[in-house]
Amino acid sequence: MFEGFSERNIEGDGVRLFVRMAGPEDAPPVLLLHGYPQTSAMWHGVAPLLSKSYRVICPDLRGYGRSGKPPSDERHLTYSKRAMANDLVKMMGSLGHKKFYIGAHDRGARVAHRLGMDHPDRVKAMTLLDIAPTREMYANTSFPFARGYWHWFFLIQPSPLPETIIGRDPAGFWKQKCFNQASGDNPFLPEALEEYLKAFSDRDAIHGSCEDYRAAATIDIEHDDADGNRRLSMPVLVLWAKNGTVGKCFDPLSLWKMRAENVSGGPVDATHYMAEEQPAEIARQFENFFTHQETTLQKAVS
């Protein structure tokens, strides 16, 4: 995986992040953010394609993979999307990227949302894969959603309940959750799956990822509410899985139009793990969208 990519450990906002990078150094930067319970390895099919035209940066989020897993706090601020976004802004700044594009899946897309709200001057445009806004998903919970996304309600239980249960068989839990979201199949490259399972065997990773969800149900919603009527100002492309829970239980485009000023998008013929099932299609969608934005920005400058 990731032939031609370099690997580095870079300081975030108090947490060291593991990062994969490739592409022309003078090309527009694209930050790719992974979801739960994965790592930056999820971009193994997409990142090499994008790196032909873009400088591609793929970090493991705090609490995941080979990145730092700091102790949490009672309000779950340590694993808030704001804290994760601050990691990425500092990391990208240290690499010399003051403005960048974002492509993000699942939990990473929630981090991207907060990054765009807190640091709108840093993001040129973003593509979000298979999510609706967190607050609205919780507020509009239905039986089909709760059944399909049972882990949302399990992982937010007080520590150490989910950590203890998951810790008895991390690989079994990982496969149960992820294969079920892929219609019972295994869409994962063996090398990527090996990385996921190895990373998830770490008790600190199990706890950190639970804290990610606890933050989503509490402090992240507080931050969303504090935004008031303010919306994402940069262009946003929203793609959701044609064969996934989000598109069946919600109207992603309508909900994102409530949270962003300039939104477009539609379904992709895949399950939740679309970047690994349809990497060429996802890379094409990213590149078309980002190239259009880059052309628009260049025309505006000239």
Side-chain angles (χ1 to χ4, degrees), residues 138-191:
Y138 271 120
N140 295 289
T141 291
S142 61
F143 175 74
F145 172 61
R147 183 173 182 177
Y149 270 45
W150 55 269
H151 59 285
W152 270 43
F153 307 94
F154 170 63
L155 296 173
I156 66 174
Q157 298 305 310
S159 178
L161 176 61
E163 288 93 336
T164 300
I165 295 172
I166 295 170
R168 290 171 181 164
D169 183 9
F173 175 87
W174 197 103
K175 292 177 181 178
Q176 178 77 12
K177 183 269 180 190
C178 296
F179 292 179
N180 279 353
Q181 275 191 286
S183 300
D185 295 326
N186 174 8
F188 306 107
L189 189 75
E191 294 88 342

Side-chain angles (χ1 to χ4, degrees), residues 3-302:
E3 183 177 354
F5 278 65
S6 64
E7 297 181 353
R8 289 178 57 184
N9 291 299
I10 302 174
E11 285 297 324
D13 190 23
V15 174
R16 188 171 288 264
L17 302 179
F18 171 77
V19 186
R20 294 172 156 115
M21 294 179 290
E25 294 195 9
D26 59 349
V30 175
L31 176 63
L32 298 182
L33 304 178
H34 67 85
Y36 173 90
Q38 297 177 280
T39 70
S40 54
M42 69 157 284
W43 299 111
H44 64 81
V46 173
L49 296 174
L50 289 179
S51 68
K52 297 174 183 178
S53 304
Y54 293 89
R55 182 64 177 170
V56 178
I57 300 98
C58 308
D60 289 350
L61 298 171
R62 70 161 60 192
Y64 290 86
R66 284 176 266 182
S67 289
K69 302 166 183 66
S72 192
D73 59 282
E74 290 186 1
R75 296 189 67 205
H76 316 296
L77 283 162
T78 306
Y79 287 90
S80 67
K81 306 309 160 291
R82 174 164 289 162
M84 292 183 175
N86 288 342
D87 281 337
L88 301 171
V89 168
K90 185 170 183 180
M91 177 201 76
M92 292 296 280
S94 72
L95 292 171
H97 304 310
K98 299 302 181 184
K99 294 180 73 71
F100 45 88
Y101 295 105
I102 300 178
H105 175 250
D106 190 78
R107 311 308 292 176
R110 303 186 191 285
V111 177
H113 178 200
R114 178 45 51 193
L115 197 160
M117 293 300 296
D118 288 356
H119 308 277
D121 58 321
R122 306 300 295 272
V123 184
K124 293 181 178 182
M126 65 174 70
T127 301
L128 307 179
L129 300 184
D130 210 36
I131 70 164
T134 306
R135 181 180 63 186
E136 282 68 31
M137 288 178 73
Y138 271 120
N140 295 289
T141 291
S142 61
F143 175 74
F145 172 61
R147 183 173 182 177
Y149 270 45
W150 55 269
H151 59 285
W152 270 43
F153 307 94
F154 170 63
L155 296 173
I156 66 174
Q157 298 305 310
S159 178
L161 176 61
E163 288 93 336
T164 300
I165 295 172
I166 295 170
R168 290 171 181 164
D169 183 9
F173 175 87
W174 197 103
K175 292 177 181 178
Q176 178 77 12
K177 183 269 180 190
C178 296
F179 292 179
N180 279 353
Q181 275 191 286
S183 300
D185 295 326
N186 174 8
F188 306 107
L189 189 75
E191 294 88 342
L193 182 58
E194 181 180 3
E195 178 172 318
Y196 301 149
L197 297 181
K198 181 179 179 180
F200 201 63
S201 67
D202 182 348
R203 290 185 179 275
D204 289 338
I206 295 172
H207 177 64
S209 58
C210 288
E211 283 295 293
D212 174 5
Y213 278 82
R214 293 178 183 124
T218 55
I219 189 64
D220 289 346
I221 292 178
E222 289 184 32
H223 292 159
D224 282 352
D225 288 342
D227 291 333
N229 294 324
R230 193 165 58 92
R231 297 184 291 168
L232 290 168
S233 57
M234 68 290 301
V236 177
L237 175 66
V238 178
L239 303 174
W240 60 91
K242 181 179 180 181
N243 304 311
T245 298
V246 171
K248 293 177 181 177
C249 294
F250 303 96
D251 182 348
L253 202 56
S254 176
L255 291 175
W256 278 112
K257 285 181 178 179
M258 297 169 59
R259 307 298 293 277
E261 297 173 5
N262 180 0
V263 187
S264 59
V268 174
D269 189 11
T271 72
H272 181 62
Y273 299 99
M274 58 176 70
E276 289 170 280
E277 295 175 31
Q278 301 277 8
E281 173 62 15
I282 296 304
R284 185 188 69 80
Q285 293 262 16
F286 280 15
E287 185 155 14
N288 286 350
F289 182 63
F290 296 148
T291 299
H292 174 72
Q293 304 309 321
E294 194 69 15
T295 301
T296 301
L297 289 170
Q298 289 174 357
K299 287 182 178 179
V301 171
S302 61

